[in-house]
Amino acid sequence: ETEFAHLFGVEDTSYSRTAMQVDISGLAGKTILGASLDFRILDGSPGTQTVTATTFAANGSLGHVWTPTAIQSQNYSVSNGINSLDVTGLLQQRVSAGANWLGLHLQGSSLYEWTYTYAGDGYSDDRAEVRLNVNYEDAAAVPEPTSIAMWGLGALGMMISVRKRRQSKLTA
């Protein structure tokens, strides 16, 4: 479920920022093919700005995070309307590190862009339509040692059987 206190903000460095956490434990052992963070900016200044997305250590309990301890960061261009950020590398790093949660912090650089989400003012808490879309596949299955041994014994048995048949034909 998506909820933001009052707004989803990516504003000038001294104003609002957005921090979020996503449970990624279900991606353990998966191959990440692609991931995007999609959202809508509906309010604030027109124009395009650089937004920094920073991953941070997360545990599922989100508090006030003004400047998180950065694990990895990436810059993106963001403007009013629909935005889609390719966060494949950020997500892959956290999955590879064995993290159960993806902590993601967004900070704008020069504009005041946000989407109000405060229900008390009549806005929908999902008005920004924030989504983390992940394209993944299961890791290739590695046969267990017993299966490999059984296959090997079966192949050896067939080779012995073929050899015995050839020998019996030669002696006959």
Side-chain angles (χ1 to χ4, degrees), residues 4 8 18-22 37 56 58 62 102-106 130:
F4 293 92
F8 175 84
T18 293
M20 63 188 82
Q21 294 187 34
V22 179
L37 178 67
F56 62 91
L62 185 60
L102 171 67
L104 199 55
H105 179 269
L106 302 177
V130 179

Side-chain angles (χ1 to χ4, degrees), residues 1-4 8 20 117 124-132:
E1 183 173 309
T2 304
E3 290 186 30
F4 293 92
F8 175 84
M20 63 188 82
T117 59
S124 163
D125 59 1
D126 190 32
R127 187 169 176 245
E129 296 181 6
V130 179
R131 304 289 186 272
L132 177 64

